[in-house]
């Protein structure tokens, strides 16, 4: 019987994991904390490992895990930018992810946040809480169906997002390094990002963080957006230069932004900091900015997504143990 250890387990995930272990006849140990050096003393007895890492993984972990006989780390998310894939591969460690767990969950949140921005929901609620039931130009929104939406990254999540916007009647323009052949009914591809964003009323980002995309949306790029456009980022925080976004919003070039992620979010997401002072001045500006809606990497968070992430990480772990590889390896 294989022995797998699962870190970063939330209480709601336990029953899903235990049911999976029973049906696959695997001995499964659950830990609610992240894998740390203090765990090295006892994890040697396990065959496989799955984690839900947020912060950057220390390079020494790969060598240490390899010395224990581990062949893999199964990340329970689509993103894997917290790993050094080359160093992991050098030590014989396969990194896997869960590339598709519920594109619709993230797409729905993306469009809901766009609606909140466009229809000035926060402003309306602030007035209602003050028992001010009047309305005026600052609260006036736009018809979403009359807007042009740019989808930057037409993978599963980008396509799901495009479909919902299309249902409103929006014109959709897409950009991707590898355009798909079967999307003519849904969108028209632009040749460049500049072309895609220049006339878009809404720009929705659905791309990973790479050396090429890190801070891709800096001041220069953001100024190429149509004046008055809205920016949506439910992907990775580091593809946007946060300081530059704030500057462009303050200059009234962009009308608003909805962010489900922040480039230094590992210090905050998943932590209850009600009684702690946040020292990150950029993050404080994002949280308090009147033109920004921020959510703590929660766009994915539905019943279906949680189940798929738990089972996806465990399935990938078992694949490597049984066959030496997995379809979901990323290195």
């Amino acid at each position: 019987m294989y022995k797998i250890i699962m870190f970063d387990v939330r209480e709601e995930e336990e029953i899903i994991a235990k049911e999976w272990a029973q049906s696959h006849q695997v001995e499964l140990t659950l830990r609610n904390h992240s894998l740390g050096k203090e765990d090295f003393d006892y994890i040697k007895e396990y065959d496989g490992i799955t984690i839900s890492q947020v912060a950057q993984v220390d390079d020494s972990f790969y060598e240490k895990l390899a010395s224990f006989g581990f062949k893999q780390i199964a990340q329970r998310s689509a993103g894997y930018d917290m790993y050094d894939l080359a160093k992991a591969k050098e030590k014989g460690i396969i990194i896997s992810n869960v590339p598709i767990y519920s594109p619709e969950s993230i797409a729905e949140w993306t469009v809901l946040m766009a609606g909140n921005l466009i229809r000035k929901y926060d402003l309306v609620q602030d007035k209602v809480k003050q028992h001010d039931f009047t309305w005026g130009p600052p609260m006036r929104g736009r018809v979403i169906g009359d807007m042009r939406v740019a989808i930057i990254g037409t993978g599963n999540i980008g396509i799901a997002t495009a479909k919902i916007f299309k249902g409103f009647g929006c014109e959709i323009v897409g950009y991707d390094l590898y355009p798909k052949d079967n999307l003519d009914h849904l969108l028209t591809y632009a040749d460049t990002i500049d072309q895609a964003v220049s006339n878009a009323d809404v720009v929705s980002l659905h791309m990973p963080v790479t050396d090429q995309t890190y801070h891709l949306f800096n001041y220069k790029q953001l100024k190429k957006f149509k004046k008055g456009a809205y920016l949506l980022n439910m992907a990775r925080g580091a593809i946007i230069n946060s300081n530059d976004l704030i500057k462009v919003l303050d200059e009234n070039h962009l009308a608003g932004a909805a962010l489900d992620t922040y480039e230094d979010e590992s210090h905050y997401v998943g932590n209850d900091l009600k009684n702690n002072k946040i020292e990150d001045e950029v993050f404080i500006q994002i949280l308090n900015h009147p033109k920004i809606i921020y959510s703590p990497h929660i766009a994915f968070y539905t019943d279906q997504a949680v189940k798929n992430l738990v089972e996806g990480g465990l399935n990938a772990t078992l694949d490597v143990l049984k066959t030496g590889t997995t379809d979901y390896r990323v290195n």
Side-chain angles (χ1 to χ4, degrees), residues 176-203:
D176 200 291
L177 287 174
Y178 306 100
K180 294 178 173 60
D181 295 329
N182 59 347
L183 296 180
D184 291 347
H185 65 288
L186 182 62
L187 56 82
T188 301
Y189 275 109
D191 294 328
T192 64
I193 291 179
D194 291 358
Q195 182 183 340
V197 305
S198 62
N199 292 310
D201 301 292
V202 176
V203 178

Side-chain angles (χ1 to χ4, degrees), residues 116-144:
N116 284 342
L117 283 173
I118 295 165
R119 295 305 304 269
K120 315 296 177 62
Y121 179 79
D122 285 353
L123 177 58
V124 172
Q125 286 302 297
D126 285 344
K127 289 174 68 68
V128 168
K129 289 175 182 177
Q130 298 172 40
H131 295 177
D132 180 353
F133 306 118
T134 62
W135 60 85
M139 303 165 65
R140 190 172 65 219
R142 296 179 58 187
V143 175
I144 294 176

